Amino acid sequence: MGVAMSWIVTLFLAVFVSVGLYFIGKGIHDIALARQSSSWPQAPALILESKVTTSRSSKGGRSYKAAIRYTYVVNGTPLTSSKIFFGDGISAGSAYANAIAKRHPDGAQTIAYHHPERPALAVLEPGLTKRSFITAAFGFIFFAIGSGFGLLYWLTH
């Protein structure tokens, strides 16, 4: 294999490892925030909009996501957020997304748990969920693939 091909393989594997490290870091950060969120200050909140969005994959499949927008006030400042819980950005099945939307219907009064130093960061459902770990797991998979193939490549060349 030529030098040019070695660089292409190295660059490809470096991208995999880098993407993996980025998502591992983001995932760990989100897990830490999810754990802390249970003890964050609370503020009364109002659900402004609650719906389920649908997206189509290139293969024709559908994925669903609960889209909740709410407002709350911290120290006299009105704030708006759409974060339901840490890990909510990942699409799901219809039943799961609809269940979340039903827990937070339009016009409902609820509680927002906001970060004590950055009140614009808030969630409706504090604490860890299984979905809190998906970003870090995704990153680990990319890191493992890039590292594993990189090690295999360098051992055989």
Side-chain angles (χ1 to χ4, degrees):
M1 189 180 298
V3 173
M5 187 56 97
S6 284
W7 277 105
I8 291 171
V9 170
T10 300
L11 181 62
F12 179 76
L13 296 174
V15 167
F16 256 79
V17 169
S18 298
V19 167
L21 288 173
Y22 169 79
F23 281 107
I24 289 170
K26 181 174 179 357
I28 290 171
H29 182 254
D30 285 352
I31 290 167
L33 288 173
R35 288 185 66 209
Q36 296 166 6
S37 67
S38 294
S39 61
W40 285 355
Q42 300 175 22
L46 173 67
I47 305 295
L48 301 173
E49 181 179 34
S50 177
K51 63 183 179 181
V52 174
T53 61
T54 306
S55 59
R56 278 189 107 88
S57 73
S58 59
K59 296 180 181 179
R62 291 179 186 234
S63 61
Y64 304 86
K65 186 178 174 217
I68 314 292
R69 197 166 54 87
Y70 56 96
T71 186
Y72 57 103
V73 177
V74 177
N75 297 327
T77 304
L79 299 161
T80 303
S81 182
S82 59
K83 188 156 228 30
I84 305 163
F85 54 84
F86 289 97
D88 67 356
I90 300 155
S91 297
S94 174
Y96 184 80
N98 279 305
I100 293 170
K102 284 181 184 177
R103 288 196 302 264
H104 306 288
D106 284 343
Q109 297 285 333
T110 189
I111 300 292
Y113 297 78
H114 64 86
H115 191 285
E117 296 164 10
R118 298 181 326 208
L121 176 58
V123 293
L124 295 177
E125 299 178 8
L128 286 170
T129 67
K130 291 177 188 173
R131 291 184 165 262
S132 304
F133 295 91
I134 290 177
T135 302
F138 176 77
F140 180 76
I141 290 168
F142 259 72
F143 179 79
I145 289 170
S147 299
F149 280 109
L151 183 61
L152 182 65
Y153 176 77
W154 285 299
L155 288 176
T156 59
H157 288 89

